[in-house]
Every structure is written in structure tokens, then in C-alpha cells.
Amino acid sequence: MTNKKVYFRNWQLIDYKEAWDLQTSYFNKIIDQKLKNRDLSEDKRIPTDNYLFFCQHPHVYTLGKSGSASHLLISETSLKEKNVSFYHNNRGGDITYHGPGQIVGYPVLDLDNFFTDIHKYLRLLEEAVILTLKEYKIEAGRIQGLTGVWIDNDRPEKARKICAMGVKLSRWVSMHGFAFNINTELDYFNHIVPCGISDKAVTSLEKELGRKEDIALVEKKLLKHISNLFEMEIVDLV
């Protein structure tokens, strides 16, 4: 009774807390259905839904549950002056930045519909970004022991992160996701220790190519690779 149909919506620019609340509502809906299905005979069980959201956020720093508050390098006063929000959330990982010009992806999936392997899940999300970058003639990859996508990943002294990841999983249902820097204002990363990693730089598609890119086109390419890798049937959420 697996369901590979995935409802997709691009929220465009949306407040971080609003997006978090929306994700949580879909996440809880899936878990509620899974729990109800346990008490039903197999022929009466209702397939669980899956969702994928793309968006951009106004300037915000988010700190994962395993992160250190010391990795935020500016004061609360400075945050207000720069009009930057800050949230301590329930995803894995440390601190990161979200802002305009960045593709933030939130897969809210019942992985029982796909595969129950958290490492495969993370690697496929990374692979979708790697394949997207390849369409721009940029070679990217992974660094052992670190999540996300890196350029010059085989040269530690030059490695720079272009996509960060942090997820939450409960009963094999996912939320939170990835942040892919396209035309991102990278100066905002100077006020944090990104992902708790102090010895590696952060980059963007714009910085690597020397020009701004059409973010809608990048989103289209990325969605294609995610849907192919996960064998999803993408349906617009109306």
C-alpha cells in the first residue's frame, strides 16, 4: 500500500515560522493517519500522503536541536538592527542561515512509501543538488562525515558548502530539509559558524558562475532530479 504520489507547492517568499507551522501540520497529519492505519485491517487502511515544498525565507538564522547557541556570533540587538529573525527549532544539525535567493526544500514524506533508510534519504537529496549543479557545469560532491553538498569536496583547504541539510524524522515521516544557495547574500553567513563548521567556506551558484541565475529555472531542474531519484509522481497541491 505504498503511495509515491507527492503533492508539491512552491510557497515563494514565506516567513520561517509560518512555513514551520505549515510543515508541522502536514507532518502530524501523516503520522495521525499512520497510527489510525495500525488499528485497521489491511484492506481498510488509507494510504498516507506525501508533500514537497519549495520556498524562500526573509533573513533568518535557525539553530538545530543539537547545535550550540555560541555559533550565533552577533547579539540580539544586532539581529534586530539587521532585521534578522532567529529560531531554535527541532531539526538535526547546527546553525544555518536562510534568506532570499536561496532554494529551501521541505520534503514532508512518509518514507514507508519509498524506503526506510535515513542515510539513503539524505544521500538522494544531496544527489539531486549535485545533478542540478552538473547542469551548470559545476562538479560537486560530498565530504565524508558531513552532510550537504560541497564544491572542491576533495580538496579540504578549498572545500565550500553550497547546500546545507538538516532534517527531523519520526515514525519514518520527514520534515525540514535543505537550503541550496543560488543568488544568496553570503555576507549573512559571516555572523554564524555555519553548521558548526569553522574551517570551511560557504558559496552560492551566483558566486561560482559569476552571475545571477534564474531561481525558478534552478527550482525546475532540482524538482526534476528529486522526483526521478525518489521515483515520485509529482502533483501540484492546490
Side-chain angles (χ1 to χ4, degrees):
M1 196 184 63
T2 59
N3 172 30
K4 294 201 172 187
K5 182 185 292 183
V6 178
Y7 293 104
F8 173 77
R9 177 176 286 172
N10 192 326
W11 286 330
Q12 304 298 335
L13 186 67
I14 184 174
D15 175 76
Y16 180 80
K17 184 63 166 61
E18 183 182 352
W20 185 8
D21 288 344
L22 282 168
Q23 272 191 86
T24 302
S25 68
Y26 288 109
F27 176 83
N28 289 337
K29 177 186 169 188
I30 296 170
I31 289 179
D32 287 347
Q33 188 58 58
K34 291 190 82 166
L35 293 175
K36 287 176 185 172
N37 282 344
R38 287 165 124 195
D39 299 323
L40 299 172
S41 58
E42 195 161 338
D43 61 316
K44 291 185 179 177
R45 291 175 185 167
I46 297 172
T48 49
D49 289 328
N50 308 286
Y51 302 90
L52 173 60
F53 304 106
F54 283 178
C55 64
Q56 299 177 54
H57 293 306
H59 303 298
V60 60
Y61 295 121
T62 71
L63 180 65
K65 61 185 180 181
S66 57
S68 170
S70 66
H71 292 155
L72 177 65
L73 305 178
I74 59 174
S75 67
E76 195 172 320
T77 302
S78 295
L79 285 174
K80 288 178 180 174
E81 287 172 355
K82 295 176 183 297
N83 200 27
V84 183
S85 303
F86 174 76
Y87 290 98
H88 199 156
N89 64 20
N90 58 352
R91 62 166 169 78
D94 207 287
I95 196 166
T96 195
Y97 161 77
H98 298 311
Q102 183 186 67
I103 300 173
V104 179
Y106 294 130
V108 186
L109 309 175
D110 181 1
L111 291 184
D112 272 317
N113 287 322
F114 300 91
F115 47 77
T116 50
D117 184 332
I118 181 60
H119 295 290
K120 182 177 180 179
Y121 173 65
L122 293 171
R123 300 299 82 79
L124 287 187
L125 289 177
E126 290 167 348
E127 188 65 20
V129 174
I130 290 167
L131 291 173
T132 301
L133 289 168
K134 193 167 283 191
E135 294 200 46
Y136 291 90
K137 306 290 191 292
I138 293 175
E139 291 296 321
R142 304 172 181 85
I143 294 178
Q144 183 71 33
L146 300 175
T147 58
V149 177
W150 303 77
I151 294 172
D152 278 336
N153 55 303
D154 55 347
R155 303 167 70 191
E157 73 285 355
K158 291 197 171 183
R160 50 210 183 274
K161 182 181 274 191
I162 194 164
C163 180
M165 295 173 58
V167 303
K168 171 182 167 66
L169 211 64
S170 178
R171 300 182 189 275
W172 291 110
V173 180
S174 66
M175 65 179 286
H176 298 295
F178 61 86
F180 183 10
N181 297 326
I182 310 302
N183 303 318
T184 315
E185 294 180 62
L186 297 176
D187 286 350
Y188 282 87
F189 286 99
N190 295 333
H191 304 302
I192 60 173
V193 180
C195 303
I197 302 168
S198 59
D199 64 342
K200 302 227 173 357
V202 177
T203 190
S204 67
L205 189 59
E206 178 186 7
K207 184 171 183 180
E208 295 301 317
L209 295 176
R211 63 178 187 271
K212 285 190 181 292
E213 285 300 321
D214 179 349
I215 197 165
L217 183 58
V218 185
E219 288 169 339
K220 186 175 179 182
K221 295 176 187 294
L222 179 62
L223 180 61
K224 173 191 69 178
H225 289 303
I226 292 175
S227 63
N228 287 343
L229 288 165
F230 283 84
E231 299 178 349
M232 295 171 169
E233 177 193 347
I234 299 292
V235 178
D236 287 337
L237 178 63
V238 294

